[in-house]
Amino acid sequence: YGITFGNNTFVAVGESGNIVRSTNSGSSWNDSNSGISQQLYGITFGNNTFVAVAQSGKIVRSTDNGTSWDNASSGITTIIEDVTFGNNTFVAVGASGNIVRSTDNGTSWDNATDPVSGHFWGVGFGNNTFVAVVHGGTILRSTDNGSNFSTVVDPGNHLTGVGFGNNTFVVVGVNGELHRSTDNGTNWESKKSVNPVGTSERLNSVAF
């Protein structure tokens, strides 16, 4: 369900706590024991640490390039869908409006202030800004390292993924939803994909 890269290592996560890693540009892969059996949904890398998130509020972290993993307490029991890293802070989002953050490389986590109670699907970081998307189409942003999030806009339709590159945030979702922001998530314009140029299918993620 998720993959990231750090320290010349690709790490991918999936069902039943499965983690695989590659140190040769993806040519071959080895199993890595996550220590949990829950489904893992997202993974990111920062400060020489891999952090992966899962069902039941489970979070695991690795400081040896994905070879071994330790449990971290998220403080919640709901599913965690996605995680990202920026400004020495990990931010993870999930069900029931839960946002948790860590400033000690994923060892401990605390709750962030969130004005909505929906299901978060994705979170991204760029230009000192965290951007998160919610089931139903709401976009939220934080400019204080994930401590507080505020609602920016609700463009409609479910949004599922966030990406950042070239000073641009892009969020994607169902029915080919595409929205972009060039002012750190303050304002958004629709770039919805329209056939035959694009697709009306669900878009799950976006990367740069």
Side-chain angles (χ1 to χ4, degrees):
Y1 286 94
I3 187 168
T4 195
F5 179 81
N7 282 353
N8 297 312
T9 304
F10 284 100
V11 180
V13 299
E15 294 184 352
S16 303
N18 283 314
I19 298 179
V20 292
R21 60 190 292 271
S22 174
T23 57
N24 58 3
S25 299
S27 296
S28 61
W29 296 79
N30 298 311
D31 287 334
S32 181
N33 184 9
S34 71
I36 65 173
S37 59
Q38 286 81 4
Q39 189 159 295
L40 290 156
Y41 286 104
I43 184 169
T44 194
F45 178 82
N47 280 353
N48 293 311
T49 305
F50 287 95
V51 171
V53 295
Q55 291 176 325
S56 305
K58 296 289 186 180
I59 296 178
V60 293
R61 60 189 293 273
S62 173
T63 56
D64 58 5
N65 292 337
T67 302
S68 61
W69 297 81
D70 299 316
N71 282 308
S73 176
S74 69
I76 60 175
T77 58
T78 57
I79 184 174
I80 305 178
E81 295 281 2
D82 198 16
V83 61
T84 194
F85 177 83
N87 280 356
N88 294 312
T89 304
F90 287 95
V91 173
V93 299
S96 303
N98 280 311
I99 304 175
V100 292
R101 61 190 290 272
S102 172
T103 56
D104 57 6
N105 294 333
T107 301
S108 61
W109 297 77
D110 56 65
N111 291 318
T113 300
D114 164 28
V116 302
S117 59
H119 190 114
F120 284 89
W121 288 107
V123 62
F125 177 84
N127 283 352
N128 299 311
T129 305
F130 287 94
V131 169
V133 291
V134 186
H135 192 80
T138 304
I139 300 174
L140 293 88
R141 67 191 288 266
S142 170
T143 56
D144 59 3
N145 289 339
S147 294
N148 298 278
F149 279 79
S150 59
T151 300
V152 178
V153 68
D154 186 348
N157 283 327
H158 303 317
L159 299 173
T160 53
V162 183
F164 179 84
N166 274 359
N167 294 312
T168 303
F169 279 100
V170 174
V171 300
V172 298
V174 301
N175 300 323
E177 287 288 326
L178 287 162
H179 303 274
R180 68 190 289 266
S181 172
T182 56
D183 58 4
N184 298 331
T186 301
N187 297 285
W188 295 81
E189 60 177 327
S190 175
K191 294 292 181 180
K192 185 172 181 177
S193 179
V194 179
N195 285 325
V197 177
T199 179
S200 60
E201 298 298 324
R202 171 177 174 143
L203 301 171
N204 286 311
S205 62
V206 57
F208 176 85

